[in-house]
Amino acid sequence: MPLVRRIMVLIGLCCLFFPAVVSAALPYQTEYVIPDTGGSDAWSTQPLYTPRMIVTGRGEGGMGEGMLAFAEPNDLFIAANDTVYVADTGNNRIVILHADGSFASQLGLDEGEGSLNAPEGVFVTADGIVYVADTGNERIAVFDASGKFIRAYEKPDSSMLPEAYFYVPHKVVVDARGTMYVVSKGSYQGIVRMNEAGQFTGFFGANKASLTFTQQVQRWVLSAEQLKKEKAARPGEVANVTIDMDGFLLTSNFGVFSGQIKRLNAGGIDMLRGKSFRDLDQLVDTAIDSNGFLYSISRSPLNTIGVYDPQGTALFRFGGMSADTQRFGLFRFPTAIALNSKQELWVADSKLGTVQIFERTEFGSAVLEAMSLSDKGYYADSEPYWERTIEMNEMIDAGYRGLGEAAIYRGAYADAIGYFKQGKDAKGYSEAFWDVRLGWIRQYLFYAVLLAAACWFVLAFVLRRTRSYTGRADRQTKIAVYRQEWRDFGYLLLHPYEGFYRLKERRISPVTIGTILVLVVVLSVCQTYATGFAFNPLPPELRNPIWPVLILLGGWLTWVIANYLVSTVKDGEGRLREVLQASTFAFAPYIVFMVGALSRADKRYCT
């Protein structure tokens, strides 16, 4: 026993002097979307945002102590001073929070006209007027900055609005002119637009009907009478609407294959041009920051937040499903997303009855600031942020692309080539290479012309002397035969019709045919490995030369067999020798152009 005790004491001392490292890992992964993949390919990276706190709606230890917790929060609005308004549907109220998430006040619980019933949307103007989508009462309720009820907008009385139209306000925004844009629940006609007087001025931002593959087949196969019995394809619904600082309406659309996020101008034109967003078929809400970057929250796949640049290109995604219990950073049934002036994300979850706040990490601040500056054309200003991003994560392709753009801006085209190659940006690489090549041409064009002229004269002299020594005596030797066959090969390039007609009566040696085919194989392999980065960004060590060779020779062999069979059927005029010779000599343009292309390519993999 004494020995056992000594061992236990020794182990305890080791634990004291060498404590284990305890880390609280996030319950979700952050993925960086690889550029030019359309969002289909991504890899894990360090967090862009981390959860900071959970707001329940109660005023624990503060002004609202003892208040009800959130019950189905369905919408968020964050004012310019970072005051937060929450549409607490289950409690029939609008909860107002301070910037730190603490309870400030509430409205809509008073008896009378201002009493709310299951509100699902809230919007606040610059002068503090609160517009509430009072869903249960089928109206828009308006309150002043102090919370006093002003008026209500019920279903507009207009001949342009169908009598059977089911008007159930779900979300609302108001532009600088006082025009209201109301999302009505279950409506596929678009957003209801009303002026300050509550008059209906038309539908806005409607989606187009999308046909599934089955519906397309039905249109091709079924008759007009049969199609009448089928259920008509309805456009997708507008799920949510936001207005940005420039007055554009940002709509989140549900049940559509493209245009899930639209940025509409006053004329209803989508500035994102109907862009298709991957995995946003159950989009719930979209927010936009001061730099124009988009943030989506969707219930598929797995309740994720997506981050996009101002053009709608996917950048990052994170989040996940909270299956049974509340887990910090995960969602059960997300309903709204918004940003404050600190670029913090606030996300409402109706099933959990919470609002979660996410703050940017150091990595998130660096990479998103770099992307924003590059998007605005401030390449020199973005350079330190890109360098900081790469210090924290060397796998971010966008960092090298950003440094490449900055290098082009300052005229360092050779450096830009290296950066674009590291960033796997073939287009940027091509642009930088063009500038490098243009500089070389300007510097060495005169000398290159002189060298080419000298080589031409030397080659002409050598050929003339060679012909005089070969003479006519060896015209019937094998060397002369091979020389003539290769002359026919060159003749085809300039005179294809006459060249193939002349070839029909010749018997080309197997050595020449075999040499041409071997040359084709060698050039195909060299093409695989020596094709420049601008045309094939895949690293040479990952390229496979076998498939190009099989495709090339397989197509040639199939052509030979098919041509011979067809020629044989037609009056028996086809000869295998003629078809084989002509098909082999048809590689002449390929060989000549490929030799020229490879002469300027990287020869490390061809020698």
Side-chain angles (χ1 to χ4, degrees):
M1 285 297 292
L3 179 61
V4 174
R5 288 178 181 175
R6 289 173 185 171
I7 294 175
M8 295 293 292
V9 171
L10 182 61
I11 293 174
L13 291 173
C14 290
C15 291
L16 288 174
F17 287 105
F18 305 100
V21 177
V22 178
S23 61
L26 292 174
Y28 59 83
Q29 284 189 336
T30 299
E31 293 183 330
Y32 166 68
V33 180
I34 300 174
D36 306 324
T37 64
S40 62
D41 201 1
W43 57 51
S44 297
T45 184
Q46 61 261 63
L48 193 75
Y49 276 88
T50 55
R52 181 171 67 83
M53 67 178 293
I54 295 177
V55 181
T56 63
R58 295 180 179 179
E60 294 90 342
M63 175 182 175
E65 186 170 1
M67 289 292 179
L68 296 172
F70 288 137
E72 299 182 27
N74 265 295
D75 199 18
L76 291 168
F77 182 86
I78 301 180
N81 62 355
D82 284 344
T83 300
V84 182
Y85 297 78
V86 182
D88 188 10
T89 305
N91 289 322
N92 303 317
R93 62 176 179 168
I94 300 297
V95 178
I96 304 172
L97 305 174
H98 294 298
D100 61 358
S102 60
F103 182 90
S105 63
Q106 58 186 354
L107 56 86
L109 292 177
D110 296 335
E111 295 292 334
E113 291 182 311
S115 178
L116 300 176
N117 182 11
E120 294 186 4
V122 60
F123 180 85
V124 183
T125 63
D127 53 358
I129 305 300
V130 182
Y131 288 75
V132 180
D134 192 4
T135 308
N137 289 325
E138 299 181 3
R139 64 175 186 169
I140 299 296
V142 186
F143 300 82
D144 65 15
S146 65
K148 180 183 178 181
F149 177 78
I150 301 175
R151 64 166 299 177
Y153 294 94
E154 297 182 349
K155 180 180 178 180
D157 184 12
S158 172
S159 59
M160 295 187 296
L161 193 64
E163 290 186 14
Y165 183 77
F166 199 46
Y167 179 74
V168 183
H170 172 57
K171 305 293 177 185
V172 60
V173 296
V174 183
D175 66 15
R177 300 169 299 173
T179 301
M180 291 175 285
Y181 297 86
V182 181
V183 176
S184 183
K185 220 169 188 179
S187 173
Y188 61 86
Q189 290 96 330
I191 300 171
V192 176
R193 184 170 54 186
M194 298 188 295
N195 60 22
E196 283 187 283
Q199 297 171 331
F200 176 70
T201 58
F203 289 106
F204 187 83
N207 296 305
K208 294 182 179 179
S210 302
L211 297 180
T212 63
F213 176 75
T214 303
Q215 290 171 328
Q216 288 280 13
V217 173
Q218 289 176 339
R219 289 202 167 194
W220 296 334
V221 176
L222 300 182
S223 64
E225 291 296 325
Q226 290 172 321
L227 285 174
K228 289 181 180 179
K229 299 178 182 179
E230 296 293 326
K231 186 177 180 180
R234 295 286 179 85
E237 298 179 23
V238 178
N240 217 319
V241 62
T242 306
I243 192 165
D244 66 15
M245 60 179 59
D246 297 321
F248 289 91
L249 289 186
L250 203 66
T251 62
S252 305
N253 302 293
F254 188 90
V256 294
F257 302 117
S258 63
Q260 296 95 329
I261 300 175
K262 291 181 179 178
R263 191 165 184 248
L264 304 173
N265 62 14
I269 305 299
D270 180 18
M271 307 310 292
L272 296 178
R273 300 179 180 180
K275 186 178 181 67
S276 178
F277 293 82
R278 185 180 179 87
D279 296 328
L280 284 189
D281 52 319
Q282 293 188 35
L283 178 64
V284 176
D285 194 12
T286 308
I288 186 168
D289 67 15
S290 57
N291 294 318
F293 282 68
L294 307 175
Y295 301 79
S296 68
I297 181 71
S298 63
R299 300 188 187 117
S300 175
L302 299 178
N303 297 338
T304 52
I305 295 175
V307 184
Y308 307 85
D309 70 10
Q311 290 74 43
T313 303
L315 303 175
F316 297 92
R317 53 179 177 242
F318 63 93
M321 173 74 74
S322 180
D324 299 318
T325 58
Q326 168 73 64
R327 296 188 66 188
F328 207 26
L330 300 183
F331 315 108
R332 182 80 60 80
F333 198 80
T335 52
I337 186 171
L339 287 99
N340 62 15
S341 62
K342 299 177 182 177
Q343 307 302 329
E344 291 179 328
L345 289 173
W346 292 55
V347 182
D349 192 312
S350 65
K351 287 289 180 66
L352 295 175
T354 61
V355 174
Q356 294 197 54
I357 305 174
F358 294 78
E359 62 182 354
R360 277 189 187 177
T361 62
E362 181 184 2
F363 169 73
S365 297
V367 67
L368 291 177
E369 182 64 21
M371 289 177 172
S372 174
L373 291 171
S374 291
D375 182 71
K376 295 174 182 177
Y378 302 139
Y379 302 117
D381 295 336
S382 70
E383 199 164 1
Y385 292 99
W386 284 126
E387 291 172 349
R388 180 63 182 141
T389 298
I390 293 174
E391 285 179 10
M392 290 185 280
N393 191 335
E394 296 180 348
M395 300 297 291
I396 300 294
D397 293 340
Y400 299 104
R401 296 184 177 203
L403 289 177
E405 291 173 344
I408 286 182
Y409 179 76
R410 66 173 187 266
Y413 303 116
D415 293 341
I417 286 178
Y419 286 132
F420 284 129
K421 194 167 186 178
Q422 284 181 284
K424 302 179 181 64
D425 184 357
K427 182 179 179 181
Y429 179 94
S430 179
E431 293 176 357
F433 185 80
W434 168 260
D435 289 312
V436 170
R437 182 172 55 186
L438 184 61
W440 188 93
I441 290 173
R442 288 172 176 172
Q443 186 173 0
Y444 298 108
L445 179 60
F446 177 73
Y447 303 104
V449 171
L450 290 180
L451 181 61
C455 291
W456 175 267
F457 285 118
V458 170
L459 181 62
F461 176 77
V462 171
L463 289 176
R464 194 179 299 113
R465 301 289 285 182
T466 302
R467 288 171 187 164
S468 65
Y469 282 116
T470 54
R472 298 182 180 84
D474 62 346
R475 189 177 295 269
Q476 301 302 319
T477 64
K478 288 186 177 181
I479 295 178
V481 172
Y482 297 152
R483 185 186 299 117
Q484 183 58 46
E485 290 174 351
W486 284 102
R487 284 175 180 168
D488 293 339
F489 182 87
Y491 186 78
L492 280 172
L493 293 171
L494 300 177
H495 309 282
Y497 181 81
E498 295 179 6
F500 278 109
Y501 188 81
R502 180 192 299 180
L503 197 64
K504 180 176 170 43
E505 303 301 327
R506 294 184 182 274
R507 287 183 174 271
I508 304 300
S509 64
V511 173
T512 300
I513 292 178
T515 301
I516 293 174
L517 294 178
V518 169
L519 191 57
V520 167
V521 171
V522 171
L523 290 173
S524 177
V525 173
C526 287
Q527 179 192 15
T528 300
Y529 285 114
T531 298
F533 177 82
F535 297 97
N536 188 359
L538 192 67
E541 58 271 15
L542 298 180
R543 300 176 188 177
N544 184 3
I546 297 176
W547 276 111
V549 171
L550 291 178
I551 292 173
L552 199 62
L553 294 185
W556 170 81
L557 184 60
T558 302
W559 166 260
V560 170
I561 295 173
N563 204 337
Y564 171 68
L565 293 177
V566 171
S567 301
T568 303
V569 171
K570 187 179 179 181
D571 299 329
E573 295 180 359
R575 294 193 183 100
L576 181 60
R577 173 182 58 80
E578 296 174 359
V579 174
L580 185 63
Q581 290 178 176
S583 300
T584 304
F585 271 67
F587 278 119
Y590 173 81
I591 292 174
V592 171
F593 289 117
M594 193 56 61
V595 168
L598 292 175
S599 65
R600 299 188 299 273
D602 191 346
K603 304 178 181 61
R604 289 177 297 172
Y605 304 96
C606 299
T607 55

